[in-house]
Amino acid sequence: GGVFLTDMLACKLLKIIQVLESRQFTDPDIVADIKVLHKLLAENYKEMSRWEVYKNEVESGHLQWGSTHTEAFFKENARMMEGKDSDFKLLKVLIALLSSKDDEIAAIACYDIGEFVRFYPNGRAIAKRLGAKELVMPLIEHENLDLQRQALQCVSKMMVQHWEYVK
């Protein structure tokens, strides 16, 4: 059950359940099921760290802008991208998400890779070695303006030595 709860949290089901709770259903079974599911999700969410929430979101492939896609989050958690086996599995998943058909998911992946590059020691070389630069470059000319902007910033972060001095 715990595995499914974390998957449901990664897919932002807690928000959907909260919306469903405000609706009026005539079937008392639906109302009871929604209450039980909300209670389980809320309790499990409290137990998960922000890193676990982020990790589950990335692994699910359903990225959405939020508090885990920020500069502050990556300053605090960039080293966690290494993984238990130093295999950078999560970074590899983000690189794969650059090819997503959903422009928002690709844009968020660009942002996250760029922030990893900024805050992880030698992150630029690691991201380049894993093929991030080759996948991000074509996105600079994408028709979606937000994806274009995120891709350009990501490539800039990979190429600029001291990003903190660029404003």
Side-chain angles (χ1 to χ4, degrees):
V3 173
F4 294 118
L5 285 173
T6 55
D7 287 345
M8 287 187 269
L9 286 168
C11 294
K12 310 289 186 200
L13 189 63
L14 185 57
K15 276 186 186 176
I16 295 167
I17 292 296
Q18 289 170 336
V19 170
L20 288 175
E21 277 187 319
S22 66
R23 293 182 55 192
Q24 299 294 320
F25 292 99
T26 55
D27 187 343
D29 289 338
I30 292 175
V31 173
D33 289 344
I34 289 172
K35 283 183 182 178
V36 167
L37 191 54
H38 182 261
K39 182 180 177 205
L40 285 170
L41 288 172
E43 287 172 358
N44 198 37
Y45 183 78
K46 289 175 188 171
E47 292 175 13
M48 292 176 69
S49 69
R50 282 183 51 187
W51 173 253
E52 289 169 326
V53 170
Y54 175 77
K55 182 177 177 275
N56 287 327
E57 181 183 352
V58 171
E59 288 174 344
S60 75
H62 299 288
L63 303 181
Q64 290 183 330
W65 289 111
S67 64
T68 57
H69 305 284
T70 62
E71 178 180 344
F73 177 81
F74 277 92
K75 268 185 186 176
E76 186 179 315
N77 294 292
R79 289 194 177 269
M80 300 291 283
M81 295 288 278
E82 243 176 62
K84 291 179 182 167
D85 303 324
S86 297
D87 60 357
F88 294 95
K89 179 184 168 203
L90 223 49
L91 181 61
K92 292 173 184 174
V93 173
L94 284 171
I95 291 169
L97 289 174
L98 292 170
S99 303
S100 173
K101 300 291 180 211
D102 185 325
D103 294 348
E104 184 178 33
I105 290 173
I108 296 169
C110 284
Y111 178 83
D112 288 0
I113 292 167
E115 292 302 278
F116 166 78
V117 164
R118 281 179 65 195
F119 295 110
Y120 188 85
N122 205 24
R124 294 169 56 226
I126 293 165
K128 285 179 186 178
R129 183 173 41 88
L130 293 175
K133 186 176 173 186
E134 290 77 21
L135 290 174
V136 174
M137 289 296 280
L139 297 176
I140 293 172
E141 297 176 356
H142 197 275
E143 59 196 32
N144 182 306
L145 294 178
D146 186 46
L147 180 50
Q148 259 184 27
R149 186 172 55 84
Q150 294 300 339
L152 184 59
Q153 285 182 338
C154 181
V155 169
S156 298
K157 291 171 187 175
M158 281 188 228
M159 297 176 84
V160 174
Q161 199 82 10
H162 297 286
W163 179 257
E164 62 273 15
Y165 300 120
V166 177
K167 291 289 176 193

PDB file of all heavy atoms in Angstrom, residues 45 47-57 66-74 76-77:
ATOM      1  N   TYR A  45       1.881  12.016   3.210  1.00  0.00           N
ATOM      2  CA  TYR A  45       2.566  13.210   2.730  1.00  0.00           C
ATOM      3  C   TYR A  45       3.377  13.847   3.860  1.00  0.00           C
ATOM      4  O   TYR A  45       4.502  14.293   3.656  1.00  0.00           O
ATOM      5  CB  TYR A  45       1.561  14.216   2.167  1.00  0.00           C
ATOM      6  CG  TYR A  45       2.208  15.440   1.584  1.00  0.00           C
ATOM      7  CD1 TYR A  45       2.801  15.385   0.321  1.00  0.00           C
ATOM      8  CD2 TYR A  45       2.249  16.645   2.273  1.00  0.00           C
ATOM      9  CE1 TYR A  45       3.414  16.501  -0.229  1.00  0.00           C
ATOM     10  CE2 TYR A  45       2.859  17.761   1.725  1.00  0.00           C
ATOM     11  CZ  TYR A  45       3.437  17.679   0.478  1.00  0.00           C
ATOM     12  OH  TYR A  45       4.043  18.781  -0.058  1.00  0.00           O
ATOM     13  N   GLU A  47       4.771  12.363   6.297  1.00  0.00           N
ATOM     14  CA  GLU A  47       5.927  11.531   6.620  1.00  0.00           C
ATOM     15  C   GLU A  47       7.034  11.643   5.577  1.00  0.00           C
ATOM     16  O   GLU A  47       8.184  11.353   5.863  1.00  0.00           O
ATOM     17  CB  GLU A  47       5.499  10.065   6.741  1.00  0.00           C
ATOM     18  CG  GLU A  47       4.625   9.799   7.934  1.00  0.00           C
ATOM     19  CD  GLU A  47       4.110   8.373   7.967  1.00  0.00           C
ATOM     20  OE1 GLU A  47       4.623   7.529   7.211  1.00  0.00           O
ATOM     21  OE2 GLU A  47       3.175   8.119   8.742  1.00  0.00           O
ATOM     22  N   MET A  48       6.699  12.040   4.373  1.00  0.00           N
ATOM     23  CA  MET A  48       7.689  12.113   3.298  1.00  0.00           C
ATOM     24  C   MET A  48       8.463  13.427   3.368  1.00  0.00           C
ATOM     25  O   MET A  48       7.885  14.476   3.588  1.00  0.00           O
ATOM     26  CB  MET A  48       7.003  12.018   1.928  1.00  0.00           C
ATOM     27  CG  MET A  48       6.403  10.668   1.639  1.00  0.00           C
ATOM     28  SD  MET A  48       5.520  10.648   0.078  1.00  0.00           S
ATOM     29  CE  MET A  48       6.844  10.794  -1.083  1.00  0.00           C
ATOM     30  N   SER A  49       9.759  13.360   3.158  1.00  0.00           N
ATOM     31  CA  SER A  49      10.562  14.574   3.093  1.00  0.00           C
ATOM     32  C   SER A  49      10.328  15.230   1.724  1.00  0.00           C
ATOM     33  O   SER A  49       9.814  14.596   0.796  1.00  0.00           O
ATOM     34  CB  SER A  49      12.046  14.242   3.256  1.00  0.00           C
ATOM     35  OG  SER A  49      12.518  13.535   2.118  1.00  0.00           O
ATOM     36  N   ARG A  50      10.738  16.467   1.596  1.00  0.00           N
ATOM     37  CA  ARG A  50      10.600  17.140   0.295  1.00  0.00           C
ATOM     38  C   ARG A  50      11.402  16.403  -0.769  1.00  0.00           C
ATOM     39  O   ARG A  50      10.993  16.331  -1.919  1.00  0.00           O
ATOM     40  CB  ARG A  50      11.072  18.596   0.393  1.00  0.00           C
ATOM     41  CG  ARG A  50      10.028  19.477   1.059  1.00  0.00           C
ATOM     42  CD  ARG A  50      10.429  20.909   1.115  1.00  0.00           C
ATOM     43  NE  ARG A  50      10.854  21.408  -0.184  1.00  0.00           N
ATOM     44  CZ  ARG A  50      11.384  22.598  -0.378  1.00  0.00           C
ATOM     45  NH1 ARG A  50      11.538  23.410   0.619  1.00  0.00           N
ATOM     46  NH2 ARG A  50      11.756  22.986  -1.570  1.00  0.00           N
ATOM     47  N   TRP A  51      12.557  15.854  -0.379  1.00  0.00           N
ATOM     48  CA  TRP A  51      13.368  15.117  -1.342  1.00  0.00           C
ATOM     49  C   TRP A  51      12.615  13.884  -1.830  1.00  0.00           C
ATOM     50  O   TRP A  51      12.612  13.591  -3.020  1.00  0.00           O
ATOM     51  CB  TRP A  51      14.716  14.715  -0.752  1.00  0.00           C
ATOM     52  CG  TRP A  51      15.446  13.823  -1.702  1.00  0.00           C
ATOM     53  CD1 TRP A  51      15.650  12.482  -1.588  1.00  0.00           C
ATOM     54  CD2 TRP A  51      15.992  14.193  -2.970  1.00  0.00           C
ATOM     55  NE1 TRP A  51      16.300  12.002  -2.689  1.00  0.00           N
ATOM     56  CE2 TRP A  51      16.528  13.041  -3.559  1.00  0.00           C
ATOM     57  CE3 TRP A  51      16.092  15.396  -3.664  1.00  0.00           C
ATOM     58  CZ2 TRP A  51      17.151  13.040  -4.794  1.00  0.00           C
ATOM     59  CZ3 TRP A  51      16.723  15.401  -4.902  1.00  0.00           C
ATOM     60  CH2 TRP A  51      17.241  14.245  -5.458  1.00  0.00           C
ATOM     61  N   GLU A  52      11.964  13.149  -0.933  1.00  0.00           N
ATOM     62  CA  GLU A  52      11.206  11.958  -1.332  1.00  0.00           C
ATOM     63  C   GLU A  52      10.063  12.322  -2.265  1.00  0.00           C
ATOM     64  O   GLU A  52       9.784  11.604  -3.222  1.00  0.00           O
ATOM     65  CB  GLU A  52      10.683  11.220  -0.103  1.00  0.00           C
ATOM     66  CG  GLU A  52      11.774  10.536   0.692  1.00  0.00           C
ATOM     67  CD  GLU A  52      11.293  10.031   2.033  1.00  0.00           C
ATOM     68  OE1 GLU A  52      10.417  10.682   2.656  1.00  0.00           O
ATOM     69  OE2 GLU A  52      11.798   8.978   2.472  1.00  0.00           O
ATOM     70  N   VAL A  53       9.400  13.440  -1.979  1.00  0.00           N
ATOM     71  CA  VAL A  53       8.315  13.903  -2.849  1.00  0.00           C
ATOM     72  C   VAL A  53       8.872  14.199  -4.240  1.00  0.00           C
ATOM     73  O   VAL A  53       8.314  13.777  -5.254  1.00  0.00           O
ATOM     74  CB  VAL A  53       7.618  15.151  -2.250  1.00  0.00           C
ATOM     75  CG1 VAL A  53       6.663  15.777  -3.250  1.00  0.00           C
ATOM     76  CG2 VAL A  53       6.887  14.787  -0.964  1.00  0.00           C
ATOM     77  N   TYR A  54      10.006  14.912  -4.290  1.00  0.00           N
ATOM     78  CA  TYR A  54      10.633  15.242  -5.572  1.00  0.00           C
ATOM     79  C   TYR A  54      11.053  13.978  -6.318  1.00  0.00           C
ATOM     80  O   TYR A  54      10.773  13.821  -7.507  1.00  0.00           O
ATOM     81  CB  TYR A  54      11.858  16.145  -5.343  1.00  0.00           C
ATOM     82  CG  TYR A  54      12.616  16.436  -6.605  1.00  0.00           C
ATOM     83  CD1 TYR A  54      12.134  17.369  -7.522  1.00  0.00           C
ATOM     84  CD2 TYR A  54      13.805  15.772  -6.907  1.00  0.00           C
ATOM     85  CE1 TYR A  54      12.821  17.632  -8.706  1.00  0.00           C
ATOM     86  CE2 TYR A  54      14.490  16.031  -8.071  1.00  0.00           C
ATOM     87  CZ  TYR A  54      13.998  16.960  -8.969  1.00  0.00           C
ATOM     88  OH  TYR A  54      14.668  17.206 -10.135  1.00  0.00           O
ATOM     89  N   LYS A  55      11.704  13.069  -5.616  1.00  0.00           N
ATOM     90  CA  LYS A  55      12.184  11.826  -6.214  1.00  0.00           C
ATOM     91  C   LYS A  55      11.023  11.036  -6.816  1.00  0.00           C
ATOM     92  O   LYS A  55      11.099  10.571  -7.960  1.00  0.00           O
ATOM     93  CB  LYS A  55      12.906  10.996  -5.153  1.00  0.00           C
ATOM     94  CG  LYS A  55      13.501   9.695  -5.632  1.00  0.00           C
ATOM     95  CD  LYS A  55      14.256   9.031  -4.475  1.00  0.00           C
ATOM     96  CE  LYS A  55      14.795   7.701  -4.876  1.00  0.00           C
ATOM     97  NZ  LYS A  55      13.833   6.611  -4.736  1.00  0.00           N
ATOM     98  N   ASN A  56       9.940  10.913  -6.087  1.00  0.00           N
ATOM     99  CA  ASN A  56       8.769  10.191  -6.590  1.00  0.00           C
ATOM    100  C   ASN A  56       8.152  10.891  -7.793  1.00  0.00           C
ATOM    101  O   ASN A  56       7.706  10.244  -8.734  1.00  0.00           O
ATOM    102  CB  ASN A  56       7.737  10.002  -5.484  1.00  0.00           C
ATOM    103  CG  ASN A  56       8.159   8.975  -4.466  1.00  0.00           C
ATOM    104  OD1 ASN A  56       8.823   8.004  -4.805  1.00  0.00           O
ATOM    105  ND2 ASN A  56       7.797   9.185  -3.226  1.00  0.00           N
ATOM    106  N   GLU A  57       8.138  12.214  -7.749  1.00  0.00           N
ATOM    107  CA  GLU A  57       7.577  12.975  -8.875  1.00  0.00           C
ATOM    108  C   GLU A  57       8.404  12.741 -10.137  1.00  0.00           C
ATOM    109  O   GLU A  57       7.857  12.478 -11.211  1.00  0.00           O
ATOM    110  CB  GLU A  57       7.533  14.466  -8.532  1.00  0.00           C
ATOM    111  CG  GLU A  57       6.953  15.314  -9.634  1.00  0.00           C
ATOM    112  CD  GLU A  57       6.978  16.801  -9.319  1.00  0.00           C
ATOM    113  OE1 GLU A  57       7.313  17.197  -8.187  1.00  0.00           O
ATOM    114  OE2 GLU A  57       6.669  17.575 -10.241  1.00  0.00           O
ATOM    115  N   GLY A  66       6.385  23.567  -8.852  1.00  0.00           N
ATOM    116  CA  GLY A  66       6.047  23.619  -7.435  1.00  0.00           C
ATOM    117  C   GLY A  66       7.282  23.912  -6.607  1.00  0.00           C
ATOM    118  O   GLY A  66       8.339  24.267  -7.139  1.00  0.00           O
ATOM    119  N   SER A  67       7.157  23.707  -5.308  1.00  0.00           N
ATOM    120  CA  SER A  67       8.221  24.083  -4.377  1.00  0.00           C
ATOM    121  C   SER A  67       9.489  23.243  -4.514  1.00  0.00           C
ATOM    122  O   SER A  67      10.539  23.623  -3.992  1.00  0.00           O
ATOM    123  CB  SER A  67       7.709  23.988  -2.938  1.00  0.00           C
ATOM    124  OG  SER A  67       7.391  22.644  -2.623  1.00  0.00           O
ATOM    125  N   THR A  68       9.408  22.117  -5.217  1.00  0.00           N
ATOM    126  CA  THR A  68      10.608  21.307  -5.394  1.00  0.00           C
ATOM    127  C   THR A  68      11.370  21.684  -6.665  1.00  0.00           C
ATOM    128  O   THR A  68      12.429  21.129  -6.930  1.00  0.00           O
ATOM    129  CB  THR A  68      10.272  19.809  -5.429  1.00  0.00           C
ATOM    130  OG1 THR A  68       9.336  19.560  -6.463  1.00  0.00           O
ATOM    131  CG2 THR A  68       9.724  19.336  -4.092  1.00  0.00           C
ATOM    132  N   HIS A  69      10.847  22.601  -7.427  1.00  0.00           N
ATOM    133  CA  HIS A  69      11.518  23.051  -8.651  1.00  0.00           C
ATOM    134  C   HIS A  69      11.935  24.512  -8.468  1.00  0.00           C
ATOM    135  O   HIS A  69      11.498  25.400  -9.200  1.00  0.00           O
ATOM    136  CB  HIS A  69      10.607  22.870  -9.863  1.00  0.00           C
ATOM    137  CG  HIS A  69      10.116  21.467 -10.022  1.00  0.00           C
ATOM    138  ND1 HIS A  69      10.905  20.452 -10.508  1.00  0.00           N
ATOM    139  CD2 HIS A  69       8.928  20.910  -9.720  1.00  0.00           C
ATOM    140  CE1 HIS A  69      10.214  19.326 -10.514  1.00  0.00           C
ATOM    141  NE2 HIS A  69       9.018  19.578 -10.034  1.00  0.00           N
ATOM    142  N   THR A  70      12.781  24.721  -7.458  1.00  0.00           N
ATOM    143  CA  THR A  70      13.229  26.070  -7.125  1.00  0.00           C
ATOM    144  C   THR A  70      14.725  26.069  -6.846  1.00  0.00           C
ATOM    145  O   THR A  70      15.326  25.021  -6.574  1.00  0.00           O
ATOM    146  CB  THR A  70      12.513  26.593  -5.855  1.00  0.00           C
ATOM    147  OG1 THR A  70      12.852  25.741  -4.760  1.00  0.00           O
ATOM    148  CG2 THR A  70      11.006  26.667  -6.036  1.00  0.00           C
ATOM    149  N   GLU A  71      15.298  27.251  -6.904  1.00  0.00           N
ATOM    150  CA  GLU A  71      16.721  27.424  -6.600  1.00  0.00           C
ATOM    151  C   GLU A  71      17.021  26.965  -5.179  1.00  0.00           C
ATOM    152  O   GLU A  71      18.000  26.256  -4.934  1.00  0.00           O
ATOM    153  CB  GLU A  71      17.103  28.892  -6.778  1.00  0.00           C
ATOM    154  CG  GLU A  71      18.534  29.198  -6.442  1.00  0.00           C
ATOM    155  CD  GLU A  71      18.882  30.666  -6.630  1.00  0.00           C
ATOM    156  OE1 GLU A  71      18.131  31.397  -7.300  1.00  0.00           O
ATOM    157  OE2 GLU A  71      19.932  31.070  -6.096  1.00  0.00           O
ATOM    158  N   ALA A  72      16.170  27.360  -4.224  1.00  0.00           N
ATOM    159  CA  ALA A  72      16.396  26.999  -2.821  1.00  0.00           C
ATOM    160  C   ALA A  72      16.400  25.484  -2.627  1.00  0.00           C
ATOM    161  O   ALA A  72      17.231  24.946  -1.890  1.00  0.00           O
ATOM    162  CB  ALA A  72      15.320  27.633  -1.944  1.00  0.00           C
ATOM    163  N   PHE A  73      15.492  24.786  -3.293  1.00  0.00           N
ATOM    164  CA  PHE A  73      15.424  23.328  -3.172  1.00  0.00           C
ATOM    165  C   PHE A  73      16.714  22.689  -3.674  1.00  0.00           C
ATOM    166  O   PHE A  73      17.267  21.795  -3.041  1.00  0.00           O
ATOM    167  CB  PHE A  73      14.221  22.776  -3.944  1.00  0.00           C
ATOM    168  CG  PHE A  73      14.141  21.271  -3.926  1.00  0.00           C
ATOM    169  CD1 PHE A  73      13.616  20.607  -2.826  1.00  0.00           C
ATOM    170  CD2 PHE A  73      14.604  20.526  -4.992  1.00  0.00           C
ATOM    171  CE1 PHE A  73      13.563  19.219  -2.793  1.00  0.00           C
ATOM    172  CE2 PHE A  73      14.552  19.140  -4.976  1.00  0.00           C
ATOM    173  CZ  PHE A  73      14.029  18.490  -3.867  1.00  0.00           C
ATOM    174  N   PHE A  74      17.220  23.164  -4.817  1.00  0.00           N
ATOM    175  CA  PHE A  74      18.428  22.560  -5.382  1.00  0.00           C
ATOM    176  C   PHE A  74      19.679  22.937  -4.603  1.00  0.00           C
ATOM    177  O   PHE A  74      20.622  22.147  -4.526  1.00  0.00           O
ATOM    178  CB  PHE A  74      18.569  22.888  -6.865  1.00  0.00           C
ATOM    179  CG  PHE A  74      17.761  21.944  -7.711  1.00  0.00           C
ATOM    180  CD1 PHE A  74      16.464  22.245  -8.063  1.00  0.00           C
ATOM    181  CD2 PHE A  74      18.279  20.725  -8.113  1.00  0.00           C
ATOM    182  CE1 PHE A  74      15.704  21.368  -8.806  1.00  0.00           C
ATOM    183  CE2 PHE A  74      17.527  19.835  -8.852  1.00  0.00           C
ATOM    184  CZ  PHE A  74      16.237  20.159  -9.199  1.00  0.00           C
ATOM    185  N   GLU A  76      19.812  23.082  -1.498  1.00  0.00           N
ATOM    186  CA  GLU A  76      19.757  22.171  -0.356  1.00  0.00           C
ATOM    187  C   GLU A  76      19.940  20.704  -0.757  1.00  0.00           C
ATOM    188  O   GLU A  76      20.491  19.922   0.007  1.00  0.00           O
ATOM    189  CB  GLU A  76      18.389  22.363   0.325  1.00  0.00           C
ATOM    190  CG  GLU A  76      18.189  21.627   1.606  1.00  0.00           C
ATOM    191  CD  GLU A  76      16.817  21.911   2.190  1.00  0.00           C
ATOM    192  OE1 GLU A  76      16.411  23.085   2.214  1.00  0.00           O
ATOM    193  OE2 GLU A  76      16.156  20.944   2.596  1.00  0.00           O
ATOM    194  N   ASN A  77      19.471  20.328  -1.945  1.00  0.00           N
ATOM    195  CA  ASN A  77      19.374  18.910  -2.288  1.00  0.00           C
ATOM    196  C   ASN A  77      20.174  18.448  -3.512  1.00  0.00           C
ATOM    197  O   ASN A  77      20.041  17.292  -3.906  1.00  0.00           O
ATOM    198  CB  ASN A  77      17.909  18.537  -2.505  1.00  0.00           C
ATOM    199  CG  ASN A  77      17.104  18.646  -1.246  1.00  0.00           C
ATOM    200  OD1 ASN A  77      17.292  17.880  -0.319  1.00  0.00           O
ATOM    201  ND2 ASN A  77      16.204  19.619  -1.198  1.00  0.00           N
TER     202      ASN A  77
END
